[in-house]
PDB file of all heavy atoms in Angstrom:
ATOM      1  N   THR L   2       0.458   2.265  -0.775  1.00  0.00           N
ATOM      2  CA  THR L   2       1.195   3.538  -0.830  1.00  0.00           C
ATOM      3  C   THR L   2       1.118   4.228   0.514  1.00  0.00           C
ATOM      4  O   THR L   2       0.044   4.366   1.103  1.00  0.00           O
ATOM      5  CB  THR L   2       0.581   4.455  -1.917  1.00  0.00           C
ATOM      6  OG1 THR L   2       0.634   3.775  -3.175  1.00  0.00           O
ATOM      7  CG2 THR L   2       1.357   5.753  -2.016  1.00  0.00           C
ATOM      8  N   TYR L  11      -0.192  22.553  -1.962  1.00  0.00           N
ATOM      9  CA  TYR L  11       0.933  23.413  -1.572  1.00  0.00           C
ATOM     10  C   TYR L  11       2.131  22.601  -1.068  1.00  0.00           C
ATOM     11  O   TYR L  11       2.838  23.020  -0.143  1.00  0.00           O
ATOM     12  CB  TYR L  11       0.520  24.411  -0.481  1.00  0.00           C
ATOM     13  CG  TYR L  11      -0.656  25.286  -0.816  1.00  0.00           C
ATOM     14  CD1 TYR L  11      -1.903  25.084  -0.238  1.00  0.00           C
ATOM     15  CD2 TYR L  11      -0.515  26.348  -1.706  1.00  0.00           C
ATOM     16  CE1 TYR L  11      -2.987  25.900  -0.546  1.00  0.00           C
ATOM     17  CE2 TYR L  11      -1.599  27.174  -2.016  1.00  0.00           C
ATOM     18  CZ  TYR L  11      -2.827  26.947  -1.438  1.00  0.00           C
ATOM     19  OH  TYR L  11      -3.888  27.761  -1.738  1.00  0.00           O
ATOM     20  N   ILE L  14       5.622  23.853  -0.095  1.00  0.00           N
ATOM     21  CA  ILE L  14       5.826  24.612   1.154  1.00  0.00           C
ATOM     22  C   ILE L  14       5.285  23.854   2.365  1.00  0.00           C
ATOM     23  O   ILE L  14       5.932  23.812   3.416  1.00  0.00           O
ATOM     24  CB  ILE L  14       5.168  26.013   1.055  1.00  0.00           C
ATOM     25  CG1 ILE L  14       5.886  26.839  -0.018  1.00  0.00           C
ATOM     26  CG2 ILE L  14       5.189  26.730   2.413  1.00  0.00           C
ATOM     27  CD1 ILE L  14       5.232  28.171  -0.321  1.00  0.00           C
ATOM     28  N   GLY L  57     -11.231   0.134   6.003  1.00  0.00           N
ATOM     29  CA  GLY L  57     -11.134  -0.548   4.722  1.00  0.00           C
ATOM     30  C   GLY L  57      -9.824  -1.306   4.594  1.00  0.00           C
ATOM     31  O   GLY L  57      -9.417  -2.028   5.512  1.00  0.00           O
ATOM     32  N   LEU L  61      -5.822  -1.365  10.893  1.00  0.00           N
ATOM     33  CA  LEU L  61      -4.877  -1.140  11.984  1.00  0.00           C
ATOM     34  C   LEU L  61      -4.162  -2.436  12.382  1.00  0.00           C
ATOM     35  O   LEU L  61      -4.758  -3.500  12.388  1.00  0.00           O
ATOM     36  CB  LEU L  61      -5.601  -0.590  13.216  1.00  0.00           C
ATOM     37  CG  LEU L  61      -6.302   0.768  13.072  1.00  0.00           C
ATOM     38  CD1 LEU L  61      -7.133   1.057  14.323  1.00  0.00           C
ATOM     39  CD2 LEU L  61      -5.281   1.894  12.846  1.00  0.00           C
ATOM     40  N   GLY L 151     -14.817  20.391  29.092  1.00  0.00           N
ATOM     41  CA  GLY L 151     -14.638  19.574  27.898  1.00  0.00           C
ATOM     42  C   GLY L 151     -13.943  18.263  28.233  1.00  0.00           C
ATOM     43  O   GLY L 151     -14.094  17.725  29.327  1.00  0.00           O
ATOM     44  N   LEU L 153     -11.267  15.835  29.549  1.00  0.00           N
ATOM     45  CA  LEU L 153     -10.300  15.964  30.638  1.00  0.00           C
ATOM     46  C   LEU L 153      -8.992  15.286  30.207  1.00  0.00           C
ATOM     47  O   LEU L 153      -8.990  14.139  29.764  1.00  0.00           O
ATOM     48  CB  LEU L 153     -10.835  15.327  31.912  1.00  0.00           C
ATOM     49  CG  LEU L 153     -12.179  15.895  32.405  1.00  0.00           C
ATOM     50  CD1 LEU L 153     -12.597  15.232  33.705  1.00  0.00           C
ATOM     51  CD2 LEU L 153     -12.113  17.412  32.589  1.00  0.00           C
ATOM     52  N   THR L 217      -7.154  25.250  23.199  1.00  0.00           N
ATOM     53  CA  THR L 217      -8.030  24.092  23.077  1.00  0.00           C
ATOM     54  C   THR L 217      -9.321  24.268  23.874  1.00  0.00           C
ATOM     55  O   THR L 217     -10.259  23.493  23.707  1.00  0.00           O
ATOM     56  CB  THR L 217      -7.328  22.810  23.582  1.00  0.00           C
ATOM     57  OG1 THR L 217      -6.951  23.000  24.952  1.00  0.00           O
ATOM     58  CG2 THR L 217      -6.096  22.490  22.749  1.00  0.00           C
ATOM     59  N   SER L 221     -14.186  25.502  19.207  1.00  0.00           N
ATOM     60  CA  SER L 221     -14.523  24.203  18.617  1.00  0.00           C
ATOM     61  C   SER L 221     -13.343  23.663  17.813  1.00  0.00           C
ATOM     62  O   SER L 221     -12.444  24.408  17.419  1.00  0.00           O
ATOM     63  CB  SER L 221     -15.743  24.326  17.707  1.00  0.00           C
ATOM     64  OG  SER L 221     -15.415  25.067  16.538  1.00  0.00           O
ATOM     65  N   ASN L 228      -8.794  28.351  11.774  1.00  0.00           N
ATOM     66  CA  ASN L 228      -7.811  29.407  12.088  1.00  0.00           C
ATOM     67  C   ASN L 228      -6.424  29.027  11.594  1.00  0.00           C
ATOM     68  O   ASN L 228      -5.718  29.831  10.976  1.00  0.00           O
ATOM     69  CB  ASN L 228      -7.739  29.644  13.609  1.00  0.00           C
ATOM     70  CG  ASN L 228      -8.991  30.303  14.158  1.00  0.00           C
ATOM     71  OD1 ASN L 228      -9.809  30.827  13.390  1.00  0.00           O
ATOM     72  ND2 ASN L 228      -9.155  30.269  15.467  1.00  0.00           N
ATOM     73  N   GLU L 274      23.162  17.545   7.015  1.00  0.00           N
ATOM     74  CA  GLU L 274      23.554  18.061   5.701  1.00  0.00           C
ATOM     75  C   GLU L 274      22.449  17.793   4.678  1.00  0.00           C
ATOM     76  O   GLU L 274      22.157  18.643   3.842  1.00  0.00           O
ATOM     77  CB  GLU L 274      24.855  17.417   5.238  1.00  0.00           C
ATOM     78  CG  GLU L 274      25.389  18.006   3.934  1.00  0.00           C
ATOM     79  CD  GLU L 274      26.695  17.392   3.472  1.00  0.00           C
ATOM     80  OE1 GLU L 274      27.026  16.267   3.906  1.00  0.00           O
ATOM     81  OE2 GLU L 274      27.379  18.037   2.660  1.00  0.00           O
TER      82      GLU L 274
END
Side-chain angles (χ1 to χ4, degrees):
T2 302
Y11 304 106
I14 294 173
L61 298 172
L153 303 182
T217 59
S221 70
N228 290 346
E274 185 179 20

